[in-house]
mmCIF file of all heavy atoms in Angstrom:
data_model
loop_
_atom_site.group_PDB
_atom_site.id
_atom_site.type_symbol
_atom_site.label_atom_id
_atom_site.label_comp_id
_atom_site.label_asym_id
_atom_site.label_seq_id
_atom_site.Cartn_x
_atom_site.Cartn_y
_atom_site.Cartn_z
ATOM 1 N N CYS A 1161 2.628 6.400 -3.078
ATOM 2 C CA CYS A 1161 1.948 5.597 -2.079
ATOM 3 C C CYS A 1161 0.437 5.803 -2.214
ATOM 4 O O CYS A 1161 -0.024 6.927 -2.412
ATOM 5 C CB CYS A 1161 2.416 6.021 -0.689
ATOM 6 S SG CYS A 1161 1.665 5.103 0.659
ATOM 7 N N THR A 1162 -0.317 4.721 -2.114
ATOM 8 C CA THR A 1162 -1.775 4.820 -2.210
ATOM 9 C C THR A 1162 -2.424 5.023 -0.847
ATOM 10 O O THR A 1162 -3.642 5.051 -0.747
ATOM 11 C CB THR A 1162 -2.373 3.567 -2.895
ATOM 12 O OG1 THR A 1162 -1.999 2.413 -2.146
ATOM 13 C CG2 THR A 1162 -1.900 3.443 -4.327
ATOM 14 N N GLY A 1163 -1.619 5.177 0.191
ATOM 15 C CA GLY A 1163 -2.160 5.437 1.523
ATOM 16 C C GLY A 1163 -2.771 6.827 1.606
ATOM 17 O O GLY A 1163 -2.379 7.749 0.889
ATOM 18 N N ARG A 1164 -3.762 6.959 2.508
ATOM 19 C CA ARG A 1164 -4.391 8.268 2.714
ATOM 20 C C ARG A 1164 -3.389 9.227 3.330
ATOM 21 O O ARG A 1164 -2.568 8.843 4.135
ATOM 22 C CB ARG A 1164 -5.590 8.130 3.653
ATOM 23 C CG ARG A 1164 -6.764 7.420 3.002
ATOM 24 C CD ARG A 1164 -7.986 7.390 3.892
ATOM 25 N NE ARG A 1164 -8.425 8.743 4.191
ATOM 26 C CZ ARG A 1164 -8.857 9.115 5.383
ATOM 27 N NH1 ARG A 1164 -8.890 8.284 6.388
ATOM 28 N NH2 ARG A 1164 -9.256 10.357 5.589
ATOM 29 N N ARG A 1165 -3.466 10.485 2.921
ATOM 30 C CA ARG A 1165 -2.588 11.540 3.432
ATOM 31 C C ARG A 1165 -1.114 11.189 3.279
ATOM 32 O O ARG A 1165 -0.314 11.432 4.172
ATOM 33 C CB ARG A 1165 -2.931 11.848 4.883
ATOM 34 C CG ARG A 1165 -4.299 12.455 5.076
ATOM 35 C CD ARG A 1165 -4.536 12.925 6.479
ATOM 36 N NE ARG A 1165 -3.420 13.761 6.905
ATOM 37 C CZ ARG A 1165 -3.038 13.881 8.160
ATOM 38 N NH1 ARG A 1165 -3.637 13.237 9.104
ATOM 39 N NH2 ARG A 1165 -2.015 14.662 8.467
ATOM 40 N N CYS A 1166 -0.763 10.588 2.159
ATOM 41 C CA CYS A 1166 0.640 10.262 1.897
ATOM 42 C C CYS A 1166 0.925 10.483 0.420
ATOM 43 O O CYS A 1166 0.157 10.050 -0.441
ATOM 44 C CB CYS A 1166 0.937 8.809 2.272
ATOM 45 S SG CYS A 1166 2.702 8.416 2.174
ATOM 46 N N ALA A 1167 2.004 11.170 0.140
ATOM 47 C CA ALA A 1167 2.454 11.377 -1.237
ATOM 48 C C ALA A 1167 3.896 10.908 -1.383
ATOM 49 O O ALA A 1167 4.604 11.324 -2.292
ATOM 50 C CB ALA A 1167 2.322 12.847 -1.630
ATOM 51 N N ASP A 1168 4.327 10.036 -0.458
ATOM 52 C CA ASP A 1168 5.677 9.478 -0.551
ATOM 53 C C ASP A 1168 5.771 8.586 -1.780
ATOM 54 O O ASP A 1168 4.774 8.039 -2.251
ATOM 55 C CB ASP A 1168 6.019 8.665 0.697
ATOM 56 C CG ASP A 1168 6.435 9.537 1.873
ATOM 57 O OD1 ASP A 1168 6.367 10.774 1.760
ATOM 58 O OD2 ASP A 1168 6.826 8.969 2.910
ATOM 59 N N VAL A 1169 6.978 8.419 -2.268
ATOM 60 C CA VAL A 1169 7.200 7.581 -3.444
ATOM 61 C C VAL A 1169 7.683 6.206 -3.007
ATOM 62 O O VAL A 1169 8.155 6.029 -1.884
ATOM 63 C CB VAL A 1169 8.225 8.220 -4.405
ATOM 64 C CG1 VAL A 1169 7.764 9.617 -4.822
ATOM 65 C CG2 VAL A 1169 9.618 8.276 -3.792
ATOM 66 N N TYR A 1170 7.539 5.251 -3.910
ATOM 67 C CA TYR A 1170 8.112 3.928 -3.665
ATOM 68 C C TYR A 1170 8.793 3.447 -4.934
ATOM 69 O O TYR A 1170 8.454 3.868 -6.044
ATOM 70 C CB TYR A 1170 7.059 2.912 -3.205
ATOM 71 C CG TYR A 1170 6.004 2.598 -4.236
ATOM 72 C CD1 TYR A 1170 6.228 1.638 -5.217
ATOM 73 C CD2 TYR A 1170 4.787 3.262 -4.235
ATOM 74 C CE1 TYR A 1170 5.272 1.359 -6.174
ATOM 75 C CE2 TYR A 1170 3.828 2.987 -5.187
ATOM 76 C CZ TYR A 1170 4.067 2.031 -6.152
ATOM 77 O OH TYR A 1170 3.121 1.760 -7.097
ATOM 78 N N ILE A 1171 9.774 2.592 -4.733
ATOM 79 C CA ILE A 1171 10.448 1.895 -5.826
ATOM 80 C C ILE A 1171 10.359 0.427 -5.464
ATOM 81 O O ILE A 1171 10.921 -0.011 -4.465
ATOM 82 C CB ILE A 1171 11.914 2.335 -5.968
ATOM 83 C CG1 ILE A 1171 11.990 3.844 -6.220
ATOM 84 C CG2 ILE A 1171 12.595 1.563 -7.096
ATOM 85 C CD1 ILE A 1171 13.402 4.412 -6.167
ATOM 86 N N ASP A 1172 9.605 -0.315 -6.243
ATOM 87 C CA ASP A 1172 9.338 -1.717 -5.930
ATOM 88 C C ASP A 1172 10.436 -2.605 -6.496
ATOM 89 O O ASP A 1172 10.541 -2.810 -7.693
ATOM 90 C CB ASP A 1172 7.977 -2.119 -6.510
ATOM 91 C CG ASP A 1172 7.557 -3.510 -6.101
ATOM 92 O OD1 ASP A 1172 8.336 -4.203 -5.418
ATOM 93 O OD2 ASP A 1172 6.442 -3.909 -6.469
ATOM 94 N N ALA A 1173 11.249 -3.143 -5.608
ATOM 95 C CA ALA A 1173 12.317 -4.054 -6.018
ATOM 96 C C ALA A 1173 11.983 -5.494 -5.635
ATOM 97 O O ALA A 1173 12.827 -6.375 -5.725
ATOM 98 C CB ALA A 1173 13.631 -3.635 -5.366
ATOM 99 N N SER A 1174 10.726 -5.736 -5.245
ATOM 100 C CA SER A 1174 10.314 -7.076 -4.827
ATOM 101 C C SER A 1174 10.151 -7.987 -6.045
ATOM 102 O O SER A 1174 9.900 -7.514 -7.152
ATOM 103 C CB SER A 1174 8.999 -7.012 -4.053
ATOM 104 O OG SER A 1174 7.928 -6.675 -4.931
ATOM 105 N N PRO A 1175 10.266 -9.291 -5.848
ATOM 106 C CA PRO A 1175 10.098 -10.219 -6.972
ATOM 107 C C PRO A 1175 8.703 -10.155 -7.602
ATOM 108 O O PRO A 1175 8.563 -10.247 -8.808
ATOM 109 C CB PRO A 1175 10.340 -11.597 -6.351
ATOM 110 C CG PRO A 1175 11.104 -11.342 -5.107
ATOM 111 C CD PRO A 1175 10.689 -9.989 -4.624
ATOM 112 N N GLY A 1176 7.671 -9.975 -6.776
ATOM 113 C CA GLY A 1176 6.296 -9.971 -7.292
ATOM 114 C C GLY A 1176 5.896 -8.699 -7.996
ATOM 115 O O GLY A 1176 5.024 -8.691 -8.851
ATOM 116 N N GLY A 1177 6.511 -7.586 -7.624
ATOM 117 C CA GLY A 1177 6.205 -6.309 -8.269
ATOM 118 C C GLY A 1177 4.808 -5.792 -7.996
ATOM 119 O O GLY A 1177 4.200 -5.187 -8.864
ATOM 120 N N ARG A 1178 4.292 -5.998 -6.780
ATOM 121 C CA ARG A 1178 2.924 -5.577 -6.472
ATOM 122 C C ARG A 1178 2.846 -4.480 -5.423
ATOM 123 O O ARG A 1178 1.781 -4.212 -4.889
ATOM 124 C CB ARG A 1178 2.129 -6.789 -5.993
ATOM 125 C CG ARG A 1178 1.948 -7.812 -7.078
ATOM 126 C CD ARG A 1178 0.988 -8.901 -6.640
ATOM 127 N NE ARG A 1178 0.848 -9.873 -7.700
ATOM 128 C CZ ARG A 1178 1.336 -11.099 -7.636
ATOM 129 N NH1 ARG A 1178 1.957 -11.507 -6.554
ATOM 130 N NH2 ARG A 1178 1.176 -11.927 -8.644
ATOM 131 N N ARG A 1179 3.934 -3.877 -5.120
ATOM 132 C CA ARG A 1179 3.971 -2.859 -4.067
ATOM 133 C C ARG A 1179 3.143 -1.651 -4.471
ATOM 134 O O ARG A 1179 3.212 -1.188 -5.608
ATOM 135 C CB ARG A 1179 5.422 -2.463 -3.811
ATOM 136 C CG ARG A 1179 5.601 -1.508 -2.669
ATOM 137 C CD ARG A 1179 7.061 -1.327 -2.373
ATOM 138 N NE ARG A 1179 7.237 -0.349 -1.307
ATOM 139 C CZ ARG A 1179 8.400 0.003 -0.832
ATOM 140 N NH1 ARG A 1179 9.507 -0.528 -1.303
ATOM 141 N NH2 ARG A 1179 8.480 0.893 0.117
ATOM 142 N N ARG A 1180 2.376 -1.095 -3.519
ATOM 143 C CA ARG A 1180 1.566 0.096 -3.773
ATOM 144 C C ARG A 1180 1.655 1.105 -2.630
ATOM 145 O O ARG A 1180 0.982 2.116 -2.651
ATOM 146 C CB ARG A 1180 0.096 -0.278 -4.007
ATOM 147 C CG ARG A 1180 -0.127 -1.138 -5.238
ATOM 148 C CD ARG A 1180 0.255 -0.401 -6.515
ATOM 149 N NE ARG A 1180 0.251 -1.267 -7.667
ATOM 150 C CZ ARG A 1180 1.322 -1.747 -8.262
ATOM 151 N NH1 ARG A 1180 2.516 -1.472 -7.803
ATOM 152 N NH2 ARG A 1180 1.237 -2.507 -9.322
ATOM 153 N N PHE A 1181 2.469 0.787 -1.627
ATOM 154 C CA PHE A 1181 2.618 1.664 -0.475
ATOM 155 C C PHE A 1181 4.088 1.996 -0.278
ATOM 156 O O PHE A 1181 4.955 1.200 -0.620
ATOM 157 C CB PHE A 1181 2.073 0.986 0.793
ATOM 158 C CG PHE A 1181 0.591 0.724 0.741
ATOM 159 C CD1 PHE A 1181 0.103 -0.506 0.317
ATOM 160 C CD2 PHE A 1181 -0.315 1.709 1.102
ATOM 161 C CE1 PHE A 1181 -1.248 -0.741 0.255
ATOM 162 C CE2 PHE A 1181 -1.674 1.472 1.039
ATOM 163 C CZ PHE A 1181 -2.148 0.250 0.618
ATOM 164 N N CYS A 1182 4.359 3.136 0.349
ATOM 165 C CA CYS A 1182 5.737 3.549 0.586
ATOM 166 C C CYS A 1182 6.379 2.765 1.717
ATOM 167 O O CYS A 1182 7.590 2.615 1.755
ATOM 168 C CB CYS A 1182 5.792 5.041 0.902
ATOM 169 S SG CYS A 1182 4.956 5.488 2.448
ATOM 170 N N SER A 1183 5.542 2.245 2.623
ATOM 171 C CA SER A 1183 6.079 1.552 3.794
ATOM 172 C C SER A 1183 5.033 0.582 4.342
ATOM 173 O O SER A 1183 3.851 0.661 3.998
ATOM 174 C CB SER A 1183 6.444 2.560 4.883
ATOM 175 O OG SER A 1183 5.264 3.203 5.360
ATOM 176 N N VAL A 1184 5.475 -0.286 5.222
ATOM 177 C CA VAL A 1184 4.562 -1.209 5.897
ATOM 178 C C VAL A 1184 3.599 -0.416 6.772
ATOM 179 O O VAL A 1184 2.428 -0.784 6.915
ATOM 180 C CB VAL A 1184 5.355 -2.246 6.723
ATOM 181 C CG1 VAL A 1184 4.444 -3.103 7.561
ATOM 182 C CG2 VAL A 1184 6.200 -3.112 5.807
ATOM 183 N N THR A 1185 4.043 0.692 7.334
ATOM 184 C CA THR A 1185 3.187 1.529 8.165
ATOM 185 C C THR A 1185 1.982 2.025 7.382
ATOM 186 O O THR A 1185 0.842 1.911 7.844
ATOM 187 C CB THR A 1185 3.985 2.724 8.738
ATOM 188 O OG1 THR A 1185 5.094 2.221 9.473
ATOM 189 C CG2 THR A 1185 3.129 3.599 9.616
ATOM 190 N N CYS A 1186 2.201 2.559 6.187
ATOM 191 C CA CYS A 1186 1.083 3.030 5.359
ATOM 192 C C CYS A 1186 0.182 1.870 4.943
ATOM 193 O O CYS A 1186 -1.040 2.007 4.917
ATOM 194 C CB CYS A 1186 1.597 3.771 4.121
ATOM 195 S SG CYS A 1186 1.824 5.542 4.400
ATOM 196 N N GLN A 1187 0.776 0.746 4.612
ATOM 197 C CA GLN A 1187 -0.006 -0.425 4.233
ATOM 198 C C GLN A 1187 -0.893 -0.876 5.393
ATOM 199 O O GLN A 1187 -2.075 -1.162 5.201
ATOM 200 C CB GLN A 1187 0.916 -1.558 3.803
ATOM 201 C CG GLN A 1187 0.187 -2.784 3.316
ATOM 202 C CD GLN A 1187 1.145 -3.876 2.859
ATOM 203 O OE1 GLN A 1187 2.320 -3.869 3.203
ATOM 204 N NE2 GLN A 1187 0.639 -4.797 2.085
ATOM 205 N N ASN A 1188 -0.344 -0.917 6.593
ATOM 206 C CA ASN A 1188 -1.129 -1.319 7.762
ATOM 207 C C ASN A 1188 -2.238 -0.322 8.064
ATOM 208 O O ASN A 1188 -3.356 -0.723 8.406
ATOM 209 C CB ASN A 1188 -0.227 -1.506 8.983
ATOM 210 C CG ASN A 1188 0.613 -2.762 8.880
ATOM 211 O OD1 ASN A 1188 0.312 -3.672 8.115
ATOM 212 N ND2 ASN A 1188 1.687 -2.809 9.647
ATOM 213 N N ARG A 1189 -1.954 0.962 7.937
ATOM 214 C CA ARG A 1189 -3.002 1.975 8.142
ATOM 215 C C ARG A 1189 -4.154 1.764 7.159
ATOM 216 O O ARG A 1189 -5.324 1.865 7.532
ATOM 217 C CB ARG A 1189 -2.436 3.375 7.958
ATOM 218 C CG ARG A 1189 -1.654 3.880 9.118
ATOM 219 C CD ARG A 1189 -1.297 5.356 8.907
ATOM 220 N NE ARG A 1189 -0.269 5.724 9.842
ATOM 221 C CZ ARG A 1189 0.853 6.364 9.532
ATOM 222 N NH1 ARG A 1189 1.080 6.734 8.299
ATOM 223 N NH2 ARG A 1189 1.738 6.646 10.454
ATOM 224 N N ALA A 1190 -3.815 1.490 5.903
ATOM 225 C CA ALA A 1190 -4.856 1.270 4.891
ATOM 226 C C ALA A 1190 -5.671 0.018 5.207
ATOM 227 O O ALA A 1190 -6.901 0.004 5.057
ATOM 228 C CB ALA A 1190 -4.219 1.158 3.508
#
């Protein structure tokens, strides 16, 4: 995850393949 204070992992299964955060919560914080 590219969020601050987060080292969680992600596995991007989306069609676009652009995921960079472990969750919507981290994405929203960023």
Side-chain angles (χ1 to χ4, degrees):
C1161 180
T1162 58
R1164 289 185 61 220
R1165 294 188 50 208
C1166 188
D1168 280 5
V1169 303
Y1170 65 84
I1171 301 171
D1172 186 357
S1174 70
R1178 294 188 181 110
R1179 185 172 177 179
R1180 297 296 171 256
F1181 296 94
C1182 65
S1183 65
V1184 173
T1185 303
C1186 271
Q1187 183 178 18
N1188 287 341
R1189 282 188 195 131

